[in-house]
Amino acid sequence: VAGPLGSTLSTRFGARPVAMVGGFLAGLGLFLGAFSTHLSHLCLSVGVLAGLGWALVFTPSLGTVGRYFPARRALATGLVVSGASVSGLALGPLVPLLLDTYGWRGALLLLAAISFNLVAAGALLRPLPVAGESPGPPRDRPGLIRLLRHGPFLRYTLAFVLVDVGYYVPFVHGAARAHEVGCDEHRAGLVMAAMAAVDGGGRVAAGWLAARPAAPLLRHLFTWAVLTGLTLLLLPLGTSFGGLLTLALTYGFCAGALVPLQFAGVAEVVGAGRLVHAIGLMQMFESFGSLLGAPFAGWLRDMTGNYTISFLAAGAFLLAGSLLILTLPGFFHTSRGAVGKGGSPAPPPDGPETPPIPPEP
């Protein structure tokens, strides 16, 4: 929800100081959580404070990458967001070990120490100077308001609100589904680890493929969204360990492929000059879909007695979101002379002098 705050602050003060402050808040939230004596303390420290810190790190960092690599934005974004998969694989076995060795308080202290390294990472962000940029702070509020009146951006955001309702269901309920089909703890953990492992590969592969000039980026995005939704619809067919593992590997790869294209696609819709603002707003709206999906799938499981309807509903949300991508300008054709090196429409120049986005009729 704090995505717009991160984008506004980074536009006004620069990505580096905002990301550094965010890294400090993330580490501080985990550190204070280690001294909690009540659940509400954890909600405020790990939930609010650390969550705010992560928002202040993620949005400026991703926006900076988009400005550094306009021609190969999808590939660069894919490489960057693959770091989440690497850390997820590392923390998967590490966190249980920390809990067994040091308890939950000690584990939070060590995770806080890791998170404080975000301050150093944020210090490495050096946004490129933009030619023709006028001095003085940019007008943040009008930029946000124009985005809220921009029809293609709103449709793009709604598409990923729907996608996120279904997207996280296998990651949250995958282990329970594995138990449901007769897998023990070891095999259930293997299914989840395999899905996380190929997720990173999908992120890099999709970014590399989108950098080829074969088709506009939005078509790549639509294709991967449809493949992810169809795989999710097929997950109930995995009634054995082998079948479920195969479908989980396929879903992990396709779901990973969506991530870099989603954020690179923002620039295709609104232009690179408003990329940071657009990412922040999109994150805020997406959070509602993310929060709704897993509990809704769990409720369906409670009502029906198994996860079949849960996964079918999640896949339907993903496919519904993918259909909205078809309505975006430039999906079916690209204007002649407006194609960048990466094979997708060239973004408008960065900086405050980017022409304002007119509201869609």
Side-chain angles (χ1 to χ4, degrees), residues 33-112:
F35 300 96
S36 299
T37 58
H38 192 272
L39 183 60
S40 61
H41 300 161
L42 284 174
C43 290
L44 291 173
S45 57
V46 179
V48 175
L49 190 58
L52 172 62
W54 293 326
L56 296 182
V57 171
F58 185 81
T59 306
S61 301
L62 211 55
T64 299
V65 171
R67 296 185 68 167
Y68 259 95
F69 304 100
R72 305 233 182 264
R73 185 176 290 115
L75 177 58
T77 306
L79 291 170
V80 168
V81 297
S82 66
S85 299
V86 175
S87 62
L89 285 173
L91 290 175
L94 177 61
V95 170
L97 178 63
L98 294 179
L99 290 171
D100 292 339
T101 307
Y102 301 105
W104 68 269
R105 295 183 187 276
L108 279 177
L109 288 174
L110 291 171
L111 291 175

Side-chain angles (χ1 to χ4, degrees), residues 28-360:
L28 180 64
L30 293 169
F31 177 81
L32 294 176
F35 300 96
S36 299
T37 58
H38 192 272
L39 183 60
S40 61
H41 300 161
L42 284 174
C43 290
L44 291 173
S45 57
V46 179
V48 175
L49 190 58
L52 172 62
W54 293 326
L56 296 182
V57 171
F58 185 81
T59 306
S61 301
L62 211 55
T64 299
V65 171
R67 296 185 68 167
Y68 259 95
F69 304 100
R72 305 233 182 264
R73 185 176 290 115
L75 177 58
T77 306
L79 291 170
V80 168
V81 297
S82 66
S85 299
V86 175
S87 62
L89 285 173
L91 290 175
L94 177 61
V95 170
L97 178 63
L98 294 179
L99 290 171
D100 292 339
T101 307
Y102 301 105
W104 68 269
R105 295 183 187 276
L108 279 177
L109 288 174
L110 291 171
L111 291 175
I114 295 174
S115 291
F116 278 125
N117 285 279
L118 287 169
V119 178
L124 298 177
L125 294 178
R126 302 185 64 177
L128 294 172
V130 180
E133 210 172 59
S134 58
R139 296 175 298 171
D140 298 326
R141 182 184 295 271
L144 290 172
I145 293 176
R146 281 194 292 270
L147 283 172
L148 290 174
R149 297 168 56 200
H150 189 246
F153 171 71
L154 294 178
R155 293 199 300 273
Y156 190 83
T157 300
L158 177 59
F160 281 96
V161 171
L162 295 173
V163 165
D164 279 9
V165 173
Y167 184 92
Y168 294 102
V169 170
F171 294 104
V172 174
H173 295 287
R177 169 61 180 172
H179 292 311
E180 190 176 76
V181 301
C183 297
D184 56 18
E185 287 289 342
H186 174 71
R187 289 190 170 186
L190 183 59
V191 168
M192 300 305 296
M195 188 161 55
V198 298
D199 175 276
R203 297 180 184 211
V204 177
W208 180 80
L209 288 173
R212 309 298 95 193
L217 185 143
L218 290 178
R219 295 185 194 174
H220 286 265
L221 179 60
F222 171 76
T223 301
W224 286 113
V226 170
L227 289 174
T228 306
L230 291 176
T231 306
L232 191 44
L233 289 176
L234 294 175
L235 271 176
L237 299 179
T239 55
S240 65
F241 170 69
L244 185 60
L245 179 61
T246 300
L247 288 168
L249 286 169
T250 306
Y251 181 80
F253 188 88
C254 294
L258 271 181
V259 178
L261 301 187
Q262 171 192 352
F263 293 110
V266 177
E268 304 290 312
V269 176
V270 303
R274 309 199 193 282
L275 180 60
V276 178
H277 277 317
I279 288 176
L281 278 175
M282 186 173 66
Q283 284 180 279
M284 181 183 72
F285 290 120
E286 273 190 283
S287 65
F288 299 107
S290 304
L291 289 171
L292 173 64
F296 180 62
W299 177 78
L300 288 176
R301 198 274 178 200
D302 291 340
M303 294 295 102
T304 62
N306 58 60
Y307 278 106
T308 299
I309 300 300
S310 300
F311 287 128
L312 291 177
F317 276 109
L318 263 160
L319 292 176
S322 68
L323 292 178
L324 280 175
I325 299 174
L326 294 173
T327 69
L328 298 174
F331 182 87
F332 291 103
H333 60 84
T334 304
S335 299
R336 184 174 300 176
V339 179
K341 295 180 181 178
S344 54
D350 295 329
E353 296 192 355
T354 301
I357 300 173
E360 188 188 43

